[in-house]
């Protein structure tokens, strides 16, 4: 908090937990890292198997950012892994926002992998807001990232609204990313501005969902269910993944491109 400049390089954050024990409402932020009013660079690091949870009552406790939460400030992430992080809130009225990352500020996420993260309770599925990434506000750039297999089909852990990237508000530009195999939605936009360019959206339950149609700008991307197919350079052709770990593409002869 209130840090003019912080560099985190080649670190591992694992098996940490943020927990909110109070029953009269409130927010829990960041299972491993919480950034507030600071300028932070996070480079070449692994944020794996962290949790941000609250006491589960019928009050309003919210969980934000199972791996990392950003409340304000400036964040640059490069060459990092966010995997198997978990977020939950109050089971009845709370929100679970961002199993991997919760972003509210000026965030730039580059060349990183965000996979197998999970938003659990509340039982009200409309309050599960992003298993991979939750954009709460501000300006976010996701570039050259893999956002894969976030969410679960296990109803005992999570309901059906499992999302790779959830945009609540603010501005989010997704450039040269692969968003694949997230359980229900690749991108879910509730408000704000979303742009997608030069990206692959494939094998998500629904590649793009908008509360108001036409507020996600899609260009020069490969989108399985045909959103914007034939317009603004978008196609629906099989990208031919060579493997399902990092989703490299096949060459003409079936090898890594």
């Amino acid at each position: 908090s209130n840090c003019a400049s912080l560099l985190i390089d080649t670190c591992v954050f694992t098996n940490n937990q943020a927990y909110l024990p109070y029953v009269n409402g409130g927010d829990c932020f960041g299972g491993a890292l919480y950034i507030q009013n600071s300028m932070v660079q996070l480079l070449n690091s692994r944020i794996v198997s962290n949790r941000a949870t609250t006491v589960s009552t019928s009050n309003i406790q919210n969980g934000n950012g199972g791996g990392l939460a950003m409340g304000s400030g400036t964040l640059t992430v490069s060459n990092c892994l966010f995997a198997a992080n978990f977020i939950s809130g109050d089971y009845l009225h709370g929100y679970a926002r961002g199993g991997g990352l919760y972003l509210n500020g000026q965030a730039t996420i580059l060349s990183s992998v965000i996979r197998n993260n999970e938003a659990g309770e509340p039982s009200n599925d409309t309050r599960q807001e992003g298993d991979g990434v939750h954009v709460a506000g501000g300006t976010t750039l996701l570039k050259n990232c893999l956002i894969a297999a976030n969410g679960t089909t296990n109803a005992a852990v999570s309901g059906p609204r499992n999302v790779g990237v959830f945009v609540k508000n603010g501005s989010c530009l997704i450039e040269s990313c692969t968003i694949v195999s997230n359980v229900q939605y690749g991108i879910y936009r509730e408000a704000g501005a979303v742009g997608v360019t030069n990206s692959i959206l494939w094998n998500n339950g629904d590649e793009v969902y908008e509360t108001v149609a036409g507020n996600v700008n899609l260009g020069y991307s490969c989108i399985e269910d045909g959103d914007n197919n034939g317009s603004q350079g978008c196609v629906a052709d099989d990208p031919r993944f060579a493997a399902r770990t990092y989703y490299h593409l096949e060459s003409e002869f079936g090898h890594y491109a």
Side-chain angles (χ1 to χ4, degrees):
S1 180
N2 299 315
C3 180
S5 180
L6 174 64
L7 171 63
I8 302 170
D9 194 353
T10 321
C11 292
V12 176
F13 297 84
T14 188
N15 294 318
N16 299 286
Q17 180 170 6
Y19 179 68
L20 179 70
Y22 307 115
V23 298
N24 58 346
D27 286 85
C28 178
F29 291 97
L33 294 160
Y34 177 41
I35 298 161
Q36 179 75 25
N37 193 32
S38 299
M39 182 178 292
V40 176
Q41 294 183 78
L42 177 62
L43 311 177
N44 309 309
S45 295
R46 296 166 58 89
I47 298 89
V48 177
S49 298
N50 302 284
R51 299 170 63 88
T53 62
T54 74
V55 62
S56 189
T57 65
S58 58
N59 294 302
I60 306 175
Q61 290 82 233
N62 306 310
N64 307 279
L68 178 150
M70 176 190 188
S72 63
T74 301
L75 170 67
T76 300
V77 174
S78 181
N79 194 33
C80 290
L81 170 67
F82 294 84
N85 299 290
F86 179 80
I87 189 77
S88 69
D90 166 60
Y91 78 94
L92 189 59
H93 299 298
Y95 285 86
R97 304 173 176 128
L101 300 96
Y102 170 94
L103 302 173
N104 187 17
Q106 184 176 334
T108 302
I109 316 298
L110 306 172
S111 304
S112 295
V113 176
I114 302 163
R115 65 179 307 150
N116 300 110
N117 301 285
E118 174 65 37
E121 286 186 321
S123 58
N124 183 342
D125 299 324
T126 63
R127 293 175 182 254
Q128 294 171 334
E129 298 186 338
D131 297 77
V133 180
H134 177 101
V135 178
T139 302
T140 295
L141 170 64
L142 294 162
K143 185 173 182 179
N144 295 324
C145 292
L146 171 64
I147 301 167
N150 295 286
T152 179
T153 56
N154 182 356
V157 177
S158 178
R161 193 161 85 165
N162 296 271
V163 183
V165 179
F166 187 102
V167 180
K168 183 80 170 182
N169 216 324
S171 172
C172 181
L173 174 60
I174 298 168
E175 181 180 344
S176 303
C177 291
T178 299
I179 301 176
V180 62
S181 298
N182 299 284
V183 172
Q184 190 177 14
Y185 299 105
I187 300 169
Y188 188 111
R189 177 203 163 272
E190 186 169 291
V194 179
V196 182
T197 184
N198 196 35
S199 295
I200 298 172
L201 286 80
W202 205 263
N203 195 39
N204 304 287
D206 185 4
E207 313 309 329
V208 180
Y209 179 84
E210 310 173 64
T211 53
V212 178
N215 286 284
V216 176
N217 185 16
L218 303 171
Y220 301 98
S221 295
C222 179
I223 305 170
E224 182 182 23
D225 62 11
D227 293 330
N228 229 34
N229 188 26
S231 177
Q232 294 182 270
C234 291
V235 299
D237 299 333
D238 188 345
R240 296 173 58 190
F241 295 117
R244 301 285 171 160
T245 301
Y246 294 107
Y247 293 90
H248 294 284
L249 304 183
E250 284 185 355
S251 70
E252 182 179 352
F253 299 102
H255 305 297
Y256 277 11

